[in-house]
Amino acid sequence: MLDLKRLALALCVFALWQTSHSQLGFSHEIGVITGPVQFRSDFGSRQDERTNFGNSGIGIGLVHYINFSYRADCNCYSTDTYFNDHFKLRNEISWNKTKLEHLGRWVQPDRTSDNADRLRGHTGYAKNLDIGTQLEFFPLSIRSFQAYGYRLAPFVSLGIHYTSFNPEVITTYDNGTNDVGNIGDPNNFYSNWAPGSVDPAPGSTWSTVASVGFRYKVGKLSDLMLDLRWQYYFDDWVDGLNHNLVDNKNNDWLLWLNVGYIYYLN
């Protein structure tokens, strides 16, 4: 379940951010995004494609852009500088959810140990609410794109997000003690993990976001967008699992391929 206090805080910060920038007179754009997510975590085998493609979910979001190339207060172009014609500021609220399983060689049918059964019975969900900002760079002129000089405008972006995570942990392993489903019993999980390696407690962290994509102009005041995002969390508990094995070298991260519709407000 989403933390309503954190959601309210995120919405307030987003509103204040937008209001403060609206006073500068630059034009604004809003949009929606959605698409598949690959969550890379401590579930499954590291660098195993069955894990990477199997632990997939969905993300949705609302985006707001500050367009520096055009001024809403005078209905005119802004000062023609390189920054104004090649950069946009993107603010975002998004949410993603991914079902997590242990996939790969350690749970293949020929693995018949208790540990293999523990891994098969251990599943979960990564559920994350994000708010953040990114600076997008367009190599081609934003003004020319808006004037139909070309219909395709590629971009790259870099930014930082604040993430509220609320993982869910499930186990169906029967350890013979009538304790099936007890996530507080370490005997229900992989025996080589240290006690306390499984913890579904909600929390929050920062993350860095980088993406590459393009816009396609479909109308005077609207664009379609395709964006491939890499997001790296500064925490390893986003999935509710932080084991002590040697292959646990990275914090949790994800890839998100999203499509969006962007509308120019002014």
Side-chain angles (χ1 to χ4, degrees), residues 36-40 49 52-53 55-57 98 253-256:
V37 170
Q38 281 189 12
F39 201 89
R40 310 293 179 90
E49 289 307 310
N52 295 339
F53 288 100
N55 287 333
S56 299
T98 305
W253 57 283
L254 63 76
L255 289 173
W256 182 9

Side-chain angles (χ1 to χ4, degrees), residues 1-14:
M1 184 176 180
L2 289 176
D3 188 320
L4 295 181
K5 290 184 178 179
R6 285 197 172 94
L7 176 58
L9 176 62
L11 291 173
C12 288
V13 171
F14 184 80

Side-chain angles (χ1 to χ4, degrees), residues 1-3 6 39 43 100 122-129 163-170 183-184 189 196-205 235-242 252:
M1 184 176 180
L2 289 176
D3 188 320
R6 285 197 172 94
F39 201 89
F43 276 79
L100 303 172
H122 178 199
T123 60
Y125 290 91
K127 297 176 288 184
N128 307 303
L129 175 68
T163 301
S164 175
F165 57 86
N166 187 20
E168 181 178 347
V169 173
I170 302 167
I183 63 173
F189 299 98
S197 295
V198 178
D199 185 0
S204 59
T205 186
D235 198 301
D236 203 17
W237 284 107
V238 179
D239 61 346
L241 174 62
N242 185 6
D252 300 326

Side-chain angles (χ1 to χ4, degrees), residues 1 38 40 56 59-60 63 68-69 79 91-92 132 140-141 146 155 167 182 192 206 208 216 234 236 240 264:
M1 184 176 180
Q38 281 189 12
R40 310 293 179 90
S56 299
I60 57 175
V63 292
F68 301 105
S69 69
T79 303
N91 306 307
E92 176 183 314
L140 303 178
S141 167
Q146 292 180 185
F155 65 83
N182 183 2
N192 291 334
W206 293 95
T208 185
Y216 180 78
F234 299 155
D236 203 17
Y264 294 71

Side-chain angles (χ1 to χ4, degrees), residues 239-256:
D239 61 346
L241 174 62
N242 185 6
H243 59 64
N244 63 333
L245 301 181
V246 294
D247 58 348
N248 184 15
K249 298 180 178 180
N250 301 309
N251 290 340
D252 300 326
W253 57 283
L254 63 76
L255 289 173
W256 182 9

